[in-house]
C-alpha cells in the first residue's frame, strides 16, 4: 500500500514537471525575485537513514541470543510542505518552510550462528511522521538567462508525531525521541516562467541529537547512537 502511494506521488511530480517546463518555454519573468515576499509549496521524495553506532556481540539474557551485527535498510518516503520567502537583498533570502515528511527505516539484527533455537535475522522498523520547521538562509547567483543557481543552509526543529518513545510494553519496538534539531544543506536551480518559478532542489538534513531510547527494548545495547539523516529531492513551486 505504501509503495503504491509513493508511486502515485512520483507520477504526479513527473507530470507537474512536464506541464511546468512547457509553460516555462513560452514566456519568462523575473519579477518573483523583486517582490519582498513570496509564497509557494514543495513536494518530493526522501530517503531516510541514520548515522548509527552499533555494539557487536551483544547478549540478551532473556532469550539467549547474541547480536553479531546490526544492518540499517533505507526506504523511500514522501515530503510535502509550504514555502514562505522573505527577500533580504539581491542575492539573499530568508525562508521558513514548514513541512511533513513520512519516513521509514528497517533494522536487521543478525544473530550469531551459534545461537540456538532462534531465527538468524530479526527485522525491526522505525516509522516517523515528522513535522519539520526549517528556517534557512538562501544565497542566489546572478541571472544566467532564465535561471539562477542557489545554495541554502539553516536549522530545522523536527517533531516526530508518530514517536513510540512512550510505548513501554513491547520489546520488539525500537523507540526514539520525539524531538530533533537538524542542520539543513540544500542546492538548487530557479527556473522562471511568466507566472511560476520552478526550483528543483537536492536537500540533506542531519540531526544533532542522539534519538535512540533503549528503555525496555530487546537487544537494548546493540545500538548506542542514532542520528537522523534525510536526503530529499524536492520540486519547489512559487
Amino acid at each position: 500500500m505504501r509503495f503504491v502511494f509513493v508511486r502515485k506521488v512520483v507520477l504526479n511530480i513527473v507530470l507537474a514537471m512536464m506541464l511546468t517546463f512547457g509553460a516555462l518555454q513560452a514566456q519568462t519573468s523575473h519579477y518573483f525575485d523583486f517582490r519582498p515576499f513570496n509564497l509557494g509549496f514543495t513536494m518530493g521524495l526522501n530517503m531516510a537513514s541514520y548515522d548509527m553506532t552499533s555494539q557487536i556481540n551483544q547478549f540478551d539474557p532473556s532469550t539467549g541470543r547474541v547480536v553479531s551485527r546490526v544492518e540499517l535498510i533505507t526506504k523511500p518516503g514522501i515530503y510535502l510542505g509550504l514555502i514562505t520567502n522573505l527577500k533580504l537583498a539581491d542575492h539573499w533570502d530568508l525562508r521558513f518552510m514548514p513541512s511533513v515528511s513520512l519516513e521509514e527505516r528497517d533494522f536487521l539484527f543478525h544473530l550469531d550462528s551459534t545461537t540456538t533455537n532462534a531465527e538468524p535475522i530479526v527485522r525491526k522498523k522505525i516509522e516517523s511522521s515528522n513535522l519539520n520547521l526549517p528556517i534557512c538562509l538562501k544565497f542566489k547567483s546572478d541571472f544566467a538567462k532564465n535561471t539562477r543557481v542557489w545554495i541554502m543552509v539553516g536549522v530545522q526543529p523536527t517533531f516526530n508525531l508518530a514517536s513510540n518513545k512512550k510505548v513501554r510494553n513491547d520489546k520488539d519496538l525500537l523507540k526514539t525521541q520525539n524531538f530533533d534539531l537538524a542542520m539543513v544543506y540544500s542546492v538548487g536551480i530557479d527556473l522562471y516562467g511568466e507566472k511560476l518559478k520552478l526550483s528543483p532542489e537536492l536537500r540533506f538534513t542531519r540531526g544533532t541529537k542522539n534519538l535512540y531510547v533503549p528503555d525496555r527494548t530487546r537487544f537494548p545495547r546493540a545500538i548506542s547512537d542514532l542520528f537522523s539523516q534525510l536526503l530529499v529531492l524536492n520540486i519547489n513551486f512559487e
Side-chain angles (χ1 to χ4, degrees):
M1 181 66 69
R2 185 169 186 140
F3 175 76
V4 173
F5 180 60
V6 171
R7 185 175 62 182
K8 288 182 179 179
V9 172
V10 172
L11 292 176
N12 289 333
I13 291 175
V14 173
L15 180 60
M17 290 181 62
M18 294 174 61
L19 295 175
T20 304
F21 275 119
L24 290 174
Q25 292 177 353
Q27 287 182 312
T28 61
S29 174
H30 297 162
Y31 83 96
F32 302 97
D33 283 10
F34 298 107
R35 296 171 58 182
F37 185 75
N38 283 328
L39 292 174
F41 68 94
T42 183
M43 58 189 300
L45 299 175
N46 67 61
M47 289 297 294
S49 181
Y50 282 115
D51 183 359
M52 177 179 66
T53 303
S54 59
Q55 307 292 328
I56 63 173
N57 297 326
Q58 294 298 310
F59 180 71
D60 179 11
S62 65
T63 62
R65 296 176 177 180
V66 176
V67 179
S68 60
R69 181 166 63 94
V70 182
E71 181 182 359
L72 174 62
I73 307 296
T74 62
K75 291 188 174 183
I78 306 300
Y79 196 96
L80 300 171
L82 301 175
I83 299 173
T84 61
N85 189 92
L86 177 65
K87 180 181 177 181
L88 300 179
D90 288 341
H91 295 278
W92 296 93
D93 292 338
L94 182 66
R95 292 166 78 87
F96 174 59
M97 300 166 291
S99 61
V100 173
S101 58
L102 306 181
E103 307 166 17
E104 184 176 332
R105 305 156 173 95
D106 279 2
F107 293 80
L108 301 182
F109 290 79
H110 294 260
L111 305 180
D112 190 275
S113 58
T114 61
T115 303
T116 60
N117 299 322
E119 60 270 37
I121 298 177
V122 176
R123 179 184 292 266
K124 302 178 185 295
K125 68 172 58 178
I126 292 178
E127 293 183 340
S128 305
S129 299
N130 287 336
L131 173 63
N132 309 303
L133 303 173
I135 301 176
C136 299
L137 193 62
K138 176 181 177 182
F139 173 76
K140 302 173 291 188
S141 69
D142 291 329
F143 286 100
K145 292 185 178 179
N146 194 35
T147 63
R148 297 182 87 171
V149 179
W150 52 266
I151 59 174
M152 186 171 66
V153 296
V155 295
Q156 175 179 286
T158 295
F159 300 89
N160 183 3
L161 305 180
S163 174
N164 55 11
K165 176 187 175 184
K166 296 182 179 181
V167 178
R168 303 299 184 187
N169 298 322
D170 191 344
K171 293 184 178 180
D172 288 326
L173 289 177
L174 291 181
K175 303 177 180 63
T176 58
Q177 302 282 346
N178 60 9
F179 174 77
D180 193 14
L181 184 65
M183 299 299 299
V184 180
Y185 309 93
S186 284
V187 60
I189 182 171
D190 287 340
L191 307 172
Y192 295 83
E194 181 183 8
K195 297 182 179 180
L196 179 70
K197 180 170 72 172
L198 174 69
S199 305
E201 173 194 1
L202 184 64
R203 182 184 304 179
F204 176 74
T205 65
R206 205 275 185 182
T208 61
K209 294 186 60 178
N210 179 13
L211 299 180
Y212 185 58
V213 179
D215 182 41
R216 296 187 184 180
T217 301
R218 188 171 296 170
F219 315 130
R221 294 185 296 134
I223 298 173
S224 58
D225 297 309
L226 286 179
F227 292 90
S228 66
Q229 294 185 144
L230 193 68
L231 184 65
V232 185
L233 177 60
N234 276 342
I235 305 296
N236 302 324
F237 301 88
E238 294 182 59

